[in-house]
Amino acid sequence: MKNNKQIYLWLLVSFLILQCCGVTYASGQSLGFGWSDIGQPTDEELPQPKGGSEAAERIRNPVSNIVLQQRYPDTVILRGPVGKNQVALTFDDGPDPRFTPQLLDVLKKNNVKATFFLMGARAEAFPDLVKRIQAEGHIIGNHTYWHPNLVEQGDLATLEREVTQTERVLEELLGYRTKLFRAPYGFLYNELVEKLAQMNYSVIGWSVDSLDWQESAPEVITYTITSNIHPGAIILMHDGAEWDGDRTNTIKSVEQLIPVLKQQGLEFVTVPELVDLPYQK
């Protein structure tokens, strides 16, 4: 009898462990909770950045955006005027159904408008999120279709294909062709900038990097921004991530950041407002 009880307890504990770990039955039915169980996209449904994660790629050394801005001042924009107490929040790599809706909720609650640079593949996969971003008064820019490393690819054909494909997707959803472009990882070189100028794009960089892709604590991300902030700042953050990435700390940081900068007398505006630039072609 004692042995039977021990066997029963062992089977019960084993079953609970399998549930917690999300192990599947032979039939494929899940015992635990995964993204698919709560309506989140699977790995196959969420288009991945083809150039790799921010953490892997940002260690490379392309041409400095500061140098490119000096060479192409009419095309490359890194900051707004210092005479106005305004800053612009920008978010890359979305729309991401895991994080973008939460971020939009925070921005809406605080009445802040931002600028989103969207991957074409993700915009096409999640059109309702694109429409929500637009409907809530935010500005949308082109961030290529598959998020390749354009410097590593090293040819104008890749750039033109990536940008044009995304432009078509966004035009269908937004009703206009965006004039704003941001390169994946911020990586460009002379010929790429010249080609973007020919395509009537303004290249939007940044002057304050949150480094949120490192997934530090929200307080660390907030401090990174506040310790480098200045009037006219364009702030780089991310609402999208690779499949195993997490932007929860970014969202929490934005919640902390908005009241802090407002207390410093800074106003949040979109990039076109900050630099007095049209966002439609």
Side-chain angles (χ1 to χ4, degrees), residues 9-234:
L9 289 173
W10 182 86
L11 289 172
L12 178 61
V13 170
S14 299
F15 176 75
L16 291 174
I17 291 173
L18 289 174
Q19 276 196 309
C20 293
C21 294
V23 176
T24 57
Y25 291 108
S27 65
Q29 182 180 355
S30 176
L31 288 171
F33 293 95
W35 284 118
S36 58
D37 296 301
I38 56 176
Q40 295 291 344
T42 65
D43 193 1
E44 291 76 16
E45 291 170 337
L46 182 69
Q48 296 298 291
K50 296 301 183 183
S53 70
E54 293 282 336
E57 292 303 304
R58 291 282 286 272
I59 61 174
R60 298 180 187 273
N61 296 295
V63 178
S64 164
N65 279 337
I66 295 176
V67 172
L68 290 173
Q69 196 278 329
Q70 292 172 342
R71 291 174 179 170
Y72 306 99
D74 295 331
T75 303
V76 180
I77 298 167
L78 303 182
R79 60 186 296 167
V82 297
K84 295 181 180 180
N85 287 331
Q86 296 178 328
V87 296
L89 280 175
T90 67
F91 299 94
D92 287 8
D93 301 351
D96 190 321
R98 300 169 298 172
F99 311 112
T100 304
Q102 300 173 61
L103 174 62
L104 289 172
D105 290 343
V106 172
L107 295 174
K108 185 175 183 178
K109 181 178 70 175
N110 289 277
N111 193 29
V112 167
K113 308 303 181 190
T115 306
F116 288 78
F117 291 91
L118 304 183
M119 284 176 54
R122 289 184 171 182
E124 195 164 32
F126 309 108
D128 288 344
L129 268 179
V130 179
K131 292 176 181 178
R132 179 182 170 185
I133 293 170
Q134 182 187 34
E136 295 185 4
H138 306 291
I139 299 300
I140 291 173
N142 188 323
H143 198 44
T144 71
Y145 193 84
W146 286 115
H147 202 281
N149 182 331
L150 294 170
V151 170
E152 184 179 286
Q153 293 291 320
D155 66 276
L156 297 179
T158 297
L159 171 72
E160 187 170 13
R161 180 178 64 254
E162 288 279 333
V163 173
T164 301
Q165 191 173 3
T166 302
E167 183 176 285
R168 286 197 295 264
V169 171
L170 293 179
E171 182 180 14
E172 183 175 340
L173 294 171
L174 303 176
Y176 67 85
R177 290 186 300 153
T178 180
K179 183 177 171 61
L180 308 181
F181 174 82
R182 176 174 283 168
Y185 320 104
F187 287 3
L188 290 169
Y189 55 83
N190 293 357
E191 290 79 6
L192 294 175
V193 175
E194 292 167 4
K195 181 62 177 178
L196 287 162
Q198 292 174 11
M199 298 173 72
N200 194 23
Y201 274 97
S202 296
V203 177
I204 309 299
W206 58 85
S207 60
V208 176
D209 189 347
S210 69
L211 302 178
D212 64 340
W213 49 271
Q214 295 178 349
E215 300 184 7
S216 303
E219 294 76 14
V220 174
I221 298 172
T222 301
Y223 177 76
T224 299
I225 296 171
T226 57
S227 61
N228 291 283
I229 202 66
H230 59 86
I234 297 177

